[in-house]
Amino acid sequence: MSAGAETNAIHTGGCRCGAVRFEAKADPIHVSYCHCGDCRRASGAPVSAFVGFRADDLTFRETVPASRFGIAPITRTFCGICGSPVSYADERLEGQIFLMLGAMDDPQNYPPSVHGYVSEQLPFFHIDDGLPRRETTTVPRPEGARQ
């Protein structure tokens, strides 16, 4: 499924233990890889992948509230029980939230369309998929903000 393609499907996912669940009632607006060091540290993986939605289209059902951490303007959430990373939000991208691709119930339905922050990509990690590669962000921030 490509970002922006309307299917009227319900998109669901959650953490590993099921304490945090989410549901989006509209299709994603963005799907990408991120190679930045911050995402690497937060995920523990050499690259992260995200599925972005409009925040108004997303509902969380949490048995235990998701724990939050981050340094402004970034907020990340993870399950307070199993520790699974769940989401990423940037206050400069008002009204948008990015879920970890691996937290989606059917991650195969959300192929990324672009690589971001390849300027920080690990030199030994290569994905030869023909997708566009951006030196910095794949989602434009307001002028003057770190890209």
Side-chain angles (χ1 to χ4, degrees):
M1 168 169 320
S2 62
E6 293 297 325
T7 66
N8 296 319
I10 300 296
H11 307 277
T12 60
C15 68
R16 186 171 179 249
C17 74
V20 176
R21 296 286 304 157
F22 53 79
E23 179 177 284
K25 62 184 178 186
D27 289 333
I29 57 173
H30 187 81
V31 185
S32 69
Y33 291 108
C34 184
H35 295 271
C36 83
D38 190 55
C39 285
R40 253 195 328 272
R41 286 180 203 87
S43 69
V47 66
S48 292
F50 295 96
V51 182
F53 292 93
R54 288 181 189 85
D56 290 344
D57 293 332
L58 191 66
T59 303
F60 280 89
R61 296 184 315 262
E62 304 163 319
T63 304
V64 174
S67 297
R68 303 187 186 296
F69 71 98
I71 300 170
I74 307 301
T75 302
R76 297 180 185 269
T77 63
F78 64 95
C79 175
I81 296 173
C82 68
S84 298
V86 176
S87 72
Y88 165 96
D90 183 329
E91 63 190 35
R92 300 166 295 183
L93 301 172
E94 188 174 340
Q96 298 177 49
I97 187 166
F98 300 85
L99 302 168
M100 301 300 294
L101 175 68
M104 302 301 296
D105 285 342
D106 296 303
Q108 70 279 3
N109 292 338
Y110 308 94
S113 61
V114 63
H115 290 265
Y117 286 97
V118 296
S119 59
E120 298 180 36
Q121 182 174 332
L122 293 172
F124 59 81
F125 188 80
H126 301 281
I127 300 174
D128 187 17
D129 55 13
L131 294 178
R133 296 177 177 281
R134 305 279 189 268
E135 288 296 307
T136 60
T137 186
T138 60
V139 181
R141 270 58 170 187
E143 195 167 317
R146 178 183 183 262
Q147 297 291 310

